[in-house]
Amino acid sequence: RLSLVGSEMCIRDRFNGGQNSVSMPLVSNKTTEVTMQTWVYLDANTKGPFFKNGSNNGYIFGTGNGDNGFEVGNKATMLFAGTRWIQATNTSYGYGWKLVTMVINSSGVPSMYINNSLVPGTYTGTSASVPTTGTYLGRNVGDDNDSWPKFNGKMGAAYFYTKALTLDEITQNLNATAARYGVSSTNS
């Protein structure tokens, strides 16, 4: 189930790693000052991309095995499609519900947060190419074929912002929604 209110997409779905991804018109063609955020449930068998903006271009984040791909694994993974994989660390998500956030700042530098903790690393390198065509949940559309992993887990909500959220704003979002997913907020 998907609903779109402004730039907030609220979903409740179980992705099966197959063809039940969500496709929608392109949300934004910006390559700087953007934030994508999603509540996902991760277990030992989870794989795949969570959220992508752009088709053969743009940016995406999900879970992988620590290599250049979205294979079964529990490592925080980002990609500037057609440009570069962004894996400065082998940081594990852990298991259960997580609020995962990808922020691209005004200089085009990405960062990732798990709940409200910054994933450590230095993310220097080529900037993302301009997103075109569409925005997708659960699939790396355009760069994939039948052999590319698709997301095979639960997703509770997805949010897109045309600004780079600050740590305080990410923490506010976590605190506002954590109880829905049985996660402790920073206020408790």
Side-chain angles (χ1 to χ4, degrees):
R1 198 169 36 162
L2 171 72
S3 62
L4 180 61
V5 180
S7 61
E8 178 177 326
M9 295 166 282
C10 295
I11 64 164
R12 289 198 174 112
D13 202 357
R14 167 104 174 122
F15 292 83
N16 66 7
Q19 298 304 316
N20 66 335
S21 59
V22 176
S23 300
M24 62 198 93
L26 185 69
V27 174
S28 173
N29 65 356
K30 293 179 70 173
T31 57
T32 62
E33 294 291 323
V34 296
T35 302
M36 295 191 306
Q37 188 173 64
T38 185
W39 276 101
V40 292
Y41 185 86
L42 301 162
D43 62 30
N45 298 313
T46 306
K47 67 177 179 181
F50 306 147
F51 202 158
K52 181 173 187 185
N53 193 49
S55 184
N56 285 318
N57 43 38
Y59 32 88
I60 185 171
F61 68 102
T63 187
N65 62 8
D67 293 323
N68 292 338
F70 292 113
E71 304 298 332
V72 172
N74 197 252
K75 305 288 195 272
T77 304
M78 295 184 289
L79 168 67
F80 283 173
T83 304
R84 69 185 174 117
W85 286 94
I86 306 161
Q87 296 185 288
T89 71
N90 280 323
T91 300
S92 173
Y93 286 110
Y95 298 124
W97 283 105
K98 305 293 176 184
L99 179 64
V100 183
T101 307
M102 179 181 187
V103 177
I104 304 175
N105 70 17
S106 61
S107 298
V109 177
S111 57
M112 184 179 258
Y113 295 82
I114 300 171
N115 293 335
N116 63 336
S117 296
L118 177 65
V119 174
T122 304
Y123 305 107
T124 59
T126 309
S127 296
S129 56
V130 175
T132 60
T133 308
T135 301
Y136 310 93
L137 300 174
R139 180 166 184 205
N140 190 12
V141 175
D143 300 325
D144 67 346
N145 57 38
D146 289 340
S147 65
W148 272 71
K150 288 138 184 98
F151 182 53
N152 68 340
K154 297 176 192 174
M155 188 178 294
Y159 310 96
F160 191 99
Y161 301 89
T162 53
K163 66 178 266 182
L165 292 186
T166 65
L167 176 57
D168 285 344
E169 291 168 321
I170 292 168
T171 300
Q172 288 172 7
N173 286 355
L174 174 67
N175 290 339
T177 56
R180 293 181 196 171
Y181 302 98
V183 174
S184 294
S185 70
T186 58
N187 292 331
S188 52

